[in-house]
Amino acid sequence: HRRLWQVLGAHVMHHESVWGTHFAVWAPNARRVSVVGTFNLWDGRRHVMRRRGATGIWEIFVPGIGEGTVYKYEIVGAGGEVLPLKADPVGFGSQHPPENASVVRDIGGYGWHDQDWMQERSARNVPEAPISVYEVHLGSWTRKAGNRRISYVEAAEELVAYVRDMGFTHIELMPISEYPFDGSWGYQPVGLFAPTVRHGPPHEFRDLVDAAHRKGLGVLLDWVPGHFPADPHGLGLFDGTHLYEHSDPREGFHQDWNTLIYNYGRTEVKNFLTSNALYWLDEYHVDGLRVDA
């Protein structure tokens, strides 16, 4: 499935005329999976998900909850052990660090204004086209009063104007996908499908991309599927087994960074990463990806 984000994760919808959110997560070796959050007092007995045959997918529709709902997955492993609560691997939003739960975000319905750019984009990508890239870490490019990080909305005005005035053709943003540790600068991500909330919600990140395109600037993202941290809420031992990472630490553990390494030989993991790359291109109109290391 080339667009996993359309079927996994949390989707606000009407189901049989009832408004709510549909949750789906891949945990093939789990004995039980529940969605928990503030809406059910984090009680895994209240919203137990159903397993969809041999796919390893668990799903549930929860009426009456939507945008802004905080949630995680409670997973019982094959041996009956209750695992640390897990954030959604395909979650579209996250809490502000150091909190790390996923947040339901409705990413549909954005009104793009970059039609001219999107129509002309292919011509700008030919090898003969000039390119001059301004690489920037959004978290430290500038700070506001009280040492506050710049928001996506502010960057849509200030950063875009600066880069255009300096004569660059593209902005390259160092990693934007959600990450738990500020010191990693985003190079150790957990939420690959969530623009970091440090600068605002998903639609406001779209405001930044849209503003750049309307000013004739392309947007590139550092895309970093090289490794991921072993934080308990992340992908490591997701369903009690080595699901996303290699089981052999010689292949699945990066000694330099104390991080885990994706099992690129596993079909579902390749599918997960390929879908994530397409996600940024499709949903956020990003013009290219720079693959770290």
Side-chain angles (χ1 to χ4, degrees):
H1 199 300
R2 294 295 182 94
R3 286 167 172 76
L4 278 179
W5 72 91
Q6 295 177 355
V7 290
L8 298 183
H11 294 267
V12 181
M13 62 172 63
H14 282 85
H15 175 64
E16 296 182 355
S17 301
V18 177
W19 174 82
T21 300
H22 178 266
F23 298 91
V25 64
W26 180 56
N29 302 303
R31 178 180 293 184
R32 172 174 67 78
V33 182
S34 303
V35 60
V36 297
T38 52
F39 55 91
N40 63 11
L41 302 178
W42 302 93
D43 187 342
R45 299 169 298 177
R46 299 195 177 190
H47 291 96
V48 178
M49 306 172 80
R50 64 166 182 159
R51 183 167 184 158
R52 290 297 301 268
T55 64
I57 304 296
W58 300 75
E59 67 170 1
I60 191 173
F61 176 77
V62 181
I65 66 172
E67 174 76 20
T69 298
V70 174
Y71 72 99
K72 282 186 176 181
Y73 294 115
E74 181 182 281
I75 300 175
V76 176
E81 69 282 9
V82 179
L83 305 175
L85 296 182
K86 295 290 188 177
D88 193 339
V90 191
F92 302 138
S94 177
Q95 287 182 302
H96 281 273
E99 301 298 323
N100 53 39
S102 297
V103 177
V104 175
R105 294 294 185 191
D106 187 352
I107 61 170
Y110 184 76
W112 290 97
H113 302 91
D114 63 349
Q115 292 83 359
D116 292 342
W117 170 270
M118 297 298 286
Q119 291 175 3
E120 300 168 1
R121 174 162 79 170
S122 60
R124 297 174 184 266
N125 281 343
V126 297
E128 295 80 11
I131 183 171
S132 181
V133 179
Y134 185 78
E135 181 185 21
V136 58
H137 178 245
L138 198 56
S140 56
W141 183 69
T142 187
R143 290 292 178 112
K144 300 300 181 180
N147 202 33
R148 177 179 63 81
R149 295 178 178 89
I150 191 172
S151 70
Y152 293 129
V153 173
E154 291 166 335
E157 181 177 346
E158 299 173 28
L159 176 63
V160 168
Y162 177 80
V163 172
R164 187 185 185 194
D165 289 347
M166 291 294 287
F168 291 93
T169 63
H170 289 73
I171 302 171
E172 179 191 332
L173 296 172
M174 291 165 70
I176 285 296
S177 53
E178 196 60 80
Y179 56 99
F181 176 50
D182 284 341
S184 80
W185 283 16
Y187 286 96
Q188 296 181 11
V190 166
L192 281 180
F193 288 82
T196 179
V197 73
R198 289 168 174 84
H199 310 286
H203 276 349
E204 293 185 3
F205 177 62
R206 283 170 161 160
D207 290 340
L208 171 55
V209 177
D210 196 52
H213 286 171
R214 286 186 282 116
K215 294 294 185 180
L217 298 172
V219 178
L220 311 175
L221 294 187
D222 263 20
W223 185 60
V224 287
H227 55 130
F228 59 94
D231 294 52
H233 72 284
L235 299 177
L237 294 174
F238 187 78
D239 64 356
T241 66
H242 298 282
L243 197 60
Y244 288 91
E245 72 276 22
H246 285 279
S247 59
D248 186 341
R250 292 172 296 179
E251 295 183 286
F253 186 76
H254 202 301
Q255 296 185 0
D256 292 339
W257 296 319
N258 291 324
T259 55
L260 300 172
I261 300 172
Y262 285 103
N263 182 355
Y264 304 107
R266 187 165 196 170
T267 300
E268 294 90 346
V269 173
K270 287 190 291 186
N271 193 173
F272 174 76
L273 296 173
T274 301
S275 292
N276 182 250
L278 290 172
Y279 168 78
W280 293 106
L281 303 176
D282 282 3
E283 296 290 346
Y284 293 97
H285 287 196
V286 167
D287 301 290
L289 302 172
R290 179 255 180 175
V291 182
D292 181 58

